[in-house]
Amino acid sequence: MEKVRCLIIGSGPAGYTSAIYTSRASVHPVLYEGIQPGGQLTTTTLVENYPGFEHGVDANVLMTQMKAQAKSFGADVRSGFIESIDLSGRPFHAVDSNGNELEAESVIIATGATARYLGLPSEEKFKGLGVSACATCDGFFYRGKVVAVVGGGDSACEEATYLAGLCKKVYMIVRRDVFRASKAMQERVFNTPNIEILWNCNTQEVLGDMSGVTGARLVRNSGEIFDIQIDGFFLGIGHHPNSELVSKWVSTDSDGYILTEGKSSRTNVEGVFAAGDVQDRNYRQAITAAASGCMAALEVERFLNSQK
Ligand code: NDP
């Protein structure tokens, strides 16, 4: 059985940052990339809000660089994923996707979150070509254009008001005749003149051509079908934290986000830490995920030293 001091699960900014810090501290971490190497960021194109890049950086380049940086300090980065893990007692017992067994003294869970999509084939076809689940990441590309945001919760309202500051017009496609969002968020939307709310509407199809998204075909709850002309189609229907692997042992909130103690990355299981979007429902940025990966690494180091 292979013995590791720190097992890092996930390869987004949180996972790689924790690998950089723990490997520099001679913890010799083992990181499993998971089923989406590079994490959620790799579903976007240009990242313009990660500090240090005057002209932005391609998301895949950024993640490749993070991986190379972690490896340069000796992190053992492995493709594949952790199939199962038992956190009932230390050392923790894990099995990877090749059937290899590991014993880990500490674990950093950096499995991220997955944006929810509607599941339409046309939506899949135009992902990265006008379909996006991140207004903060991609909104800038739609300056002066017309976009739509699907959803009626806080995320959708926040995305719509953010986009309204950049775009000529923002449609909100809301499936009921009320918002789920907080009153304050609703007010913000109602007070933004270039947001038009399409109540009682669902998306039947995202329309487009070689250049990308050109519109959306909507259906009202009454059955009426109509098209809108848009350049971008944003999803704001929530995220799903990827915590199933550990939720038997690690406490989560009712939506599955891992709960951490105070401002730390400590979970309720001693020796198990969580970083990045799997424990963050609010900020969900590459930079905040990286920062929490750093916190987890420092806490792992302290934890391992306290066990000597
Ligand atoms: P929510 O689950 O709160 O809202 C999801 C929205 O998407 C709802 O309006 C829902 O409609 C709609 N929706 C879901 N599935 C579909 C679908 N298939 N088709 C069309 N519409 C759909 O998710 P959020 O991400 O908005 O928020 C998650 C949590 O994070 C909340 O607790 C929220 O308060 C919090 N948050 C807080 C923020 C802040 O305070 N600044 C910012 C962002 C999030 P329906 O209402 O009909 O179910």
Side-chain angles (χ1 to χ4, degrees), residues 118 150-155 158 175-176 180 185 237-238 281:
L118 297 173
V150 184
D154 280 325
S155 293
E158 198 167 68
R175 67 179 174 184
R176 293 186 291 152
R180 179 181 291 273
M185 280 301 215
I237 60 172
R281 63 157 68 240

Side-chain angles (χ1 to χ4, degrees), residues 193-253:
N194 60 338
I195 297 179
E196 180 180 339
I197 306 161
L198 301 170
W199 301 108
N200 295 308
C201 286
N202 278 290
T203 309
Q204 208 170 56
E205 200 182 342
V206 180
L207 307 171
D209 57 25
M210 294 290 281
S211 67
V213 169
T214 56
R217 180 152 301 151
L218 309 184
V219 55
R220 287 194 209 279
N221 291 348
S222 62
E224 182 200 349
I225 294 172
F226 65 105
D227 293 351
I228 53 172
Q229 285 187 355
I230 50 170
D231 306 292
F233 184 82
F234 286 85
L235 283 306
I237 60 172
H239 285 76
H240 175 76
N242 303 319
S243 60
E244 287 85 356
L245 181 70
V246 296
S247 56
K248 185 171 169 191
W249 296 276
V250 172
S251 299
T252 67
D253 69 12

Side-chain angles (χ1 to χ4, degrees), residues 94-275:
V95 181
D96 75 12
S97 44
N98 290 321
N100 301 315
E101 296 186 45
L102 299 95
E103 262 183 15
E105 288 174 53
S106 65
V107 177
I108 296 177
I109 305 155
T111 43
T114 309
R116 289 203 174 97
Y117 286 83
L118 297 173
L120 303 169
S122 54
E123 176 192 53
E124 186 63 33
K125 183 174 162 192
F126 292 111
K127 260 188 202 168
L129 286 169
V131 171
S132 166
C134 181
T136 332
C137 321
D138 298 328
F140 187 78
F141 304 112
Y142 298 90
R143 275 179 105 156
K145 297 191 172 174
V146 180
V147 299
V149 176
V150 184
D154 280 325
S155 293
C157 289
E158 198 167 68
E159 292 207 352
T161 44
Y162 175 78
L163 289 166
L166 298 167
C167 303
K168 190 161 75 184
K169 177 168 184 161
V170 179
Y171 289 105
M172 286 191 78
I173 304 169
V174 184
R175 67 179 174 184
R176 293 186 291 152
D177 61 355
V178 286
F179 277 133
R180 179 181 291 273
S182 58
K183 284 278 177 276
M185 280 301 215
Q186 297 193 23
E187 283 304 316
R188 221 182 284 177
V189 167
F190 294 143
N191 291 328
T192 307
N194 60 338
I195 297 179
E196 180 180 339
I197 306 161
L198 301 170
W199 301 108
N200 295 308
C201 286
N202 278 290
T203 309
Q204 208 170 56
E205 200 182 342
V206 180
L207 307 171
D209 57 25
M210 294 290 281
S211 67
V213 169
T214 56
R217 180 152 301 151
L218 309 184
V219 55
R220 287 194 209 279
N221 291 348
S222 62
E224 182 200 349
I225 294 172
F226 65 105
D227 293 351
I228 53 172
Q229 285 187 355
I230 50 170
D231 306 292
F233 184 82
F234 286 85
L235 283 306
I237 60 172
H239 285 76
H240 175 76
N242 303 319
S243 60
E244 287 85 356
L245 181 70
V246 296
S247 56
K248 185 171 169 191
W249 296 276
V250 172
S251 299
T252 67
D253 69 12
S254 57
D255 291 326
Y257 287 92
I258 293 178
L259 297 171
T260 51
E261 287 173 22
K263 288 184 178 174
S264 80
S265 64
R266 287 191 303 273
T267 70
N268 60 308
V269 181
E270 198 181 21
V272 177
F273 302 82

Side-chain angles (χ1 to χ4, degrees), residues 2 4 30-34 76-81 96 100 102:
E2 183 184 7
V4 302
V30 171
L31 179 149
Y32 278 81
E33 288 186 307
D76 184 347
V77 177
R78 300 179 182 177
S79 53
F81 53 92
D96 75 12
N100 301 315
L102 299 95

Side-chain angles (χ1 to χ4, degrees), residues 56-108:
V57 57
D58 178 272
N60 285 290
V61 170
L62 179 63
M63 297 320 299
T64 306
Q65 287 292 325
M66 283 193 199
K67 178 177 177 176
Q69 192 177 354
K71 287 175 78 167
S72 76
F73 293 119
D76 184 347
V77 177
R78 300 179 182 177
S79 53
F81 53 92
I82 294 295
E83 181 81 52
S84 64
I85 189 161
D86 183 341
L87 301 176
S88 58
R90 288 202 311 273
F92 307 113
H93 182 253
V95 181
D96 75 12
S97 44
N98 290 321
N100 301 315
E101 296 186 45
L102 299 95
E103 262 183 15
E105 288 174 53
S106 65
V107 177
I108 296 177

